[in-house]
Amino acid sequence: QEHASLIKEQSAKAERLREYEARAYDVQMLKFGQVIDLEALDNVGVNKNAEDLRERIAELEKKQDKMVRTWMGKLKQAKDDLKQATDQSTTRLNSVA
């Protein structure tokens, strides 16, 4: 008799497990459109080297942006100086002619 009750209990648990797996499948399909391997997701950790490289790249980009802005300012000043010199030269040439 105990054996029969254990078999019933085991089959009931197996049925509940199938229901839970079906529910998990449905939820994943609704949320993600595909089944997600949760074990693989747990095993994936943050890649420290990649994160360090991303931070380093961000710092370098920030420095380069600052340098580009500095050189753009110098270029604008040089263009303004050239325009002013050209205008002065043109004015002098017109007064001589």
Side-chain angles (χ1 to χ4, degrees):
Q1 173 152 7
E2 186 177 326
H3 180 67
S5 66
L6 287 175
I7 290 175
K8 276 186 175 182
E9 188 176 317
Q10 184 178 14
S11 65
K13 285 184 179 181
E15 180 61 29
R16 276 198 315 230
L17 179 62
R18 280 192 293 276
E19 288 173 8
Y20 290 146
E21 286 175 345
R23 188 181 304 165
Y25 175 83
D26 291 341
V27 168
Q28 286 183 3
M29 291 303 288
L30 284 172
K31 280 190 169 186
F32 308 113
Q34 63 184 3
V35 177
I36 306 298
D37 185 0
L38 298 177
E39 289 179 18
L41 192 60
D42 283 340
N43 291 335
V44 173
V46 175
N47 187 344
K48 183 66 175 159
N49 289 336
E51 195 62 35
D52 289 342
L53 287 174
R54 281 189 199 98
E55 289 174 11
R56 188 169 172 211
I57 288 170
E59 289 173 14
L60 288 172
E61 285 177 343
K62 187 176 178 181
K63 287 180 185 177
Q64 289 175 346
D65 287 345
K66 184 178 178 182
M67 189 178 293
V68 166
R69 283 192 304 273
T70 300
W71 280 105
M72 292 301 284
K74 290 180 181 181
L75 180 61
K76 183 181 181 324
Q77 182 63 44
K79 284 182 178 181
D80 291 343
D81 292 346
L82 178 61
K83 182 181 180 320
Q84 186 178 7
T86 303
D87 290 344
Q88 286 177 353
S89 179
T90 302
T91 302
R92 288 183 184 151
L93 283 173
N94 286 338
S95 67
V96 170

